Amino acid sequence: MVLETILKTKFFKPNLSDDFVHRSRLTDKLDSGDKCPLSLVSAAAGYGKSLLVSNWLDSCNRPSAWLSLDEDLNDLRIFVQYFLYAVRELFPDACPGTLNLLSLPDPQSAKIFSAELISEISEITTPFVLVLDDYGFIHDPDIHEFMNQVLKYRPSALQLVVMTRRDPPFPLHALRAQGDLVEIRQKDLQFTMVEMIDFLQKSIGLTLGEHAQADLYNTVEGWAAGLRLMALSLQNRNDVGDFLREMKGDTRHIQDYLMAEVLSRQLPTMREGLLKTSILSRLCAPLYKALCHPSREDECGSECNGRTFIHNLEKSNLFCIVLDEHHEWFRYHHLFQQLLERMLESRYSTAEISILHDNACKWFEANGMIEEAFHHAMSGSDLDVAGKLVARHRHELMNKEQWHRLGRLMDKLPRTIIENNPELLIQDAWVLWNRMKIQEMINVLDQVEALLAATPEGSLPTGDIRGEIDAMRSLQYYLVPPCDGARALAHAQQAMQNNPPHQSSTRGMAVIMLAMSYQLTGNLTDAFGTIFEELEEKQAHQNTYHTRLLITLCFLYWVEGDLGNMKQTGQKLLKLGEGLHLAESSYLGQYFYGLSHYCRNEQGKAEKSLTEAVRTRDKVNIFNYAHSSFVLALVKQEQGEPGKACEIAKSVVHYGLDTGNAPLLQLAHAFQAELALRQGRIAEAVQWTKNYQPEPFATAHRFYVPQLTMARIFLAQDTGASRQQAADLLSRLHDFYESIHNSYCLINILAMQAVLYNSLGDGALSNKKLVQAISLAEAGEFTRLFLDLGSDMAKLLLRQESRDPASDYIQTLLHAFEQEGFDRSIESTSTHPADSTIKAATSNPLTPREQEIIELLVIRLSNQEIADRLFISLETAKRHLANIYRKLQVKNRRQAVDRAASQGFLS
Amino acid sequence: MELPATYRIEVLGRLDSSWSERLAGMEITTTGGSGIVPRTILQGQVIDQSALAGVLNTLCDLGLPLISAVYLPRDNNSND
């Protein structure tokens, strides 16, 4: 996997100002934490947490790393990467295994590499300190779990220091009771009288009388930020006593009062700059210029280009925090920023503040920071600007598959802005598609068309929008019953015309629809031809369009039942997607790769890929999330974790409920019935069929098809009536999926029909269906779906084996059944009315070679003699013997001969 | 407000008592059952405001809607 771009600013330890007061009572406490699994510094903003720890690190003789957390790190994989990077900054050779796991093309689950990381950190022997600043930003339960594991295994060399404004969900109570926790809390951080006096002396050279000291101490209550504000206000002042007497009231009052004082001591330009830049979450010199001197040319002096401002800011201890080592980016201390902004609002008009936001928006957009630009546009003078900003950058975001960001922006825009702008409206349709809200998407498409019809020709670049409408109309005719291949194809062809190459995402949808519509109408030559032709075009390479072509291939291979090619292409897709940092493409790569393994009953590999995929659901199309979850649930079911399987299904249900998505909810309920069936809760499964309306049938290019669940339930009920229901449904499904050339569905249907007709006593028809199913499934080597039909299917396959003994595929399937615990020597002797005529032939499970060997066992040859006689190696002879013992369920050669004789296998 | 202090927090939904460890050691009791929407009450002493904020934050991350959070003044009869 590709390492996320590591942002160096996150590893930057805050620097101390000259007037910092060293507080040994606190640093001693941190020193004593070297034997504890956790040192926690927990207090509200403005109590000097970061500065204390920074000061302690300077005197601590162990190597240390600093990691500032923020919202972006709420993902276990990303979190672990940063954690690993911090450790490797200190020990460049540490944790090679974790690094290796992170860089493997074959994706590992986050749980695996976090476990590896903990065990590798435990191997480090040099004591070191790792500081996690602002842990309060972390909400991801997986990260909390990871941290709890770290605390549990307590790597001996590591002193972990966690700083936060609110306690993290760690077992603090227990750690405290066991003496395993060093804690510095708000009351510890409060300045003592002595420290306060020391600070005032150091920072402004002020010595107060006893009364003034007491007054001041009572006012700021040891609050570090307040004390600093105070120091800034008291600087060069003669009337300290009066000042302190005036400063009464509640905290907010005191803060405002102090701020006013602090500001009044700044030069007017500095004051103006501070207030105006308080709207920013981070600032740099050019951004200052954009806000404070927007009209001046670039060549103006350092006064207005921001360098002076930044320089003064750094020099004046004005609560600014450096964000990078080049000292380019800064932010204000949160509390200071709040106070400044409050003051800005009281001193400037709303219109003036809006203009500041407008300018910030322009600057962020020009520098490629769209979300920050959008944030300011929403606070600016004209909301239309925000809408136009999204319209200008929507293709760029779609091309990078940043659906979640695009969705977030669209959700914040007022409906009236969206509904009057065709570009935003079409974007709304894309977002709805992404969220699996097809009917809503269609409604919005109608709305766009109406809006375009009402818009004078030429006033908008409508050509491209029409192309996008066509792509989604094609989708509509493909997905929504009755599936209309001809119309889907016509729209897809139009869409290819009108989506230019630089719109790699929307053109990608056009090409997917073109190939899929060809497939739907049975024209495979053009379906594959289109994709291969496009793949040859140079401009299709190394971008989202390229991944779209691979995605189309995977869908085509799936519908065709070609698992081998789907797996290979899925792997390529994953690699390309990760290389290009495309969330959706990588996700689909995992999905196709995992799916191919599931279908071949290789659950371990399937689990890894799919677990990885399902984690990132918020970044992808909800269809993809739902289907990956369903496959993963079945994997868990096969791995003997039915509880986990149900949980996964439930989380899809919850997602459907949370997002008010009725079709998703229906699909998830159907899948729960499938699980009920597999877990032996037949009554529950049957109950679902009573309210489920299987028709109209729909195209299926993803894994889960609810109608197949219904047929399986009818089959499992095994009553006269249910068999009839199964027969009816399966034959209608067969006709439909044959008409749209969906081999995957057909294999499932045919296999079920084979079992069904056998139980109805029609051996000939059963056999015909089985042969058809096998011939469609053979190339892809599907196994799981046959195994799902249980011993009835195994018996049919045994019968078929006797007719077609040379078929490797049937051998593979039978072998898979044996692995599942099916005993062919016993099953084959049980007589079923339908196959009594061929019973004698089917009951011998031995291959011709094994037959030869057992004949030699009768004449008591040794292994070596058998090998020599048959011109095979001793190893091979032993392997054959092992197979014979297994098939006959015996432990030695004598038992084998006896069993073979008693069953009439010996000639 | 003098701290540590005792709080009583009520949320909608069920919460296993094993969570107590990660919720400042507060005692967890869940009421309700068949037909009644379950509610969970957490009660106990928290060290300070950031410990309390941690508890509320974790409950929020767990998706349990908050019904009430009440400061319980020190009992006159108790010794602490």
Side-chain angles (χ1 to χ4, degrees), chain A residues 42 148 165 167 169 174 176 185, chain B residues 21-22 47-48 50-51 54 57:
Chain A
S42 180
N148 277 309
R165 282 182 228 170
D167 284 8
R176 203 174 283 137
R185 311 194 63 89
Chain B
E21 267 308 321
R22 299 187 189 185
I47 305 181
D48 57 18
S50 59
N57 192 48

Side-chain angles (χ1 to χ4, degrees), chain A residues 631-896:
Chain A
V631 194
L632 181 61
L634 293 183
V635 169
K636 292 287 182 195
Q637 170 72 19
E638 291 314 322
Q639 288 181 327
E641 292 183 77
K644 265 259 168 340
C646 289
E647 255 175 52
I648 296 170
K650 224 183 241 164
S651 64
V652 181
V653 170
H654 284 160
Y655 197 87
L657 285 171
D658 290 348
T659 54
N661 191 330
L664 175 63
L665 211 50
Q666 272 174 8
L667 194 67
H669 283 317
F671 183 75
Q672 285 186 314
E674 173 79 42
L675 276 185
L677 174 67
R678 286 171 189 249
Q679 297 177 355
R681 290 175 280 126
I682 302 289
E684 195 182 319
V686 170
Q687 189 54 41
W688 169 78
T689 61
K690 298 204 170 121
N691 296 314
Y692 181 69
Q693 184 47 255
E695 272 153 317
F697 301 142
T699 42
H701 60 293
R702 285 187 171 83
F703 169 70
Y704 179 63
V705 183
Q707 287 85 353
L708 296 179
T709 295
M710 192 174 212
R712 262 191 286 276
I713 294 171
F714 288 149
L715 212 55
Q717 267 179 287
D718 206 25
T719 64
S722 80
R723 277 198 285 265
Q724 199 46 53
Q725 283 173 306
D728 289 347
L729 178 60
L730 283 171
S731 94
R732 275 177 292 144
L733 283 170
H734 181 273
D735 292 348
F736 176 74
Y737 285 111
E738 194 174 43
S739 77
I740 63 164
H741 316 276
N742 187 318
S743 299
Y744 169 72
C745 289
L746 279 177
I747 297 168
N748 277 281
I749 293 160
L750 288 164
M752 277 192 263
Q753 284 179 319
V755 171
L756 173 74
Y757 289 120
N758 185 54
S759 72
L760 290 172
D762 189 343
L765 188 51
S766 163
N767 185 53
K768 189 179 140 205
K769 295 289 186 184
L770 183 66
V771 171
Q772 285 178 352
I774 287 173
S775 78
L776 282 175
E778 187 164 8
E781 295 171 45
F782 284 87
T783 15
R784 190 64 244 168
L785 69 94
F786 290 100
L787 293 173
D788 288 342
L789 290 167
S791 59
D792 288 344
M793 174 50 73
K795 285 180 226 165
L796 292 180
L797 285 167
L798 271 178
R799 193 169 75 189
Q800 189 57 27
E801 183 201 21
S802 69
R803 297 201 179 105
D804 188 4
S807 164
D808 287 340
Y809 182 48
I810 294 176
Q811 288 303 325
T812 308
L813 289 177
L814 284 169
H815 184 66
F817 269 107
E818 283 175 53
Q819 303 261 305
E820 298 260 299
F822 173 78
D823 181 348
R824 62 188 189 175
S825 62
I826 290 173
E827 291 290 339
S828 59
T829 55
S830 71
T831 318
H832 196 283
D835 53 21
S836 56
T837 49
I838 47 167
K839 181 201 160 217
T842 58
S843 52
N844 186 345
L846 302 178
T847 64
R849 177 61 96 186
E850 289 161 358
Q851 187 70 39
E852 269 182 280
I853 291 177
I854 203 151
E855 307 272 348
L856 296 176
L857 289 181
V858 175
I859 57 171
R860 292 176 182 268
L861 291 191
S862 72
N863 290 355
Q864 189 61 56
E865 286 167 324
I866 293 172
D868 293 344
R869 178 81 67 97
L870 296 175
F871 303 103
I872 57 179
S873 74
L874 181 62
E875 281 311 303
T876 310
K878 282 184 184 164
R879 210 173 52 240
H880 283 304
L881 277 172
N883 284 339
I884 292 171
Y885 295 168
R886 187 172 43 79
K887 286 182 182 176
L888 298 181
Q889 292 217 302
V890 296
K891 293 208 165 58
N892 61 45
R893 56 184 64 209
R894 278 313 106 206
Q895 286 177 2

Side-chain angles (χ1 to χ4, degrees), chain A residues 154-175:
Chain A
R154 47 193 313 173
S156 57
L158 166 69
Q159 179 177 359
L160 186 64
V161 180
V162 172
M163 280 183 274
T164 180
R165 282 182 228 170
R166 51 195 181 204
D167 284 8
F170 303 157
L172 299 177
H173 208 56
L175 289 170

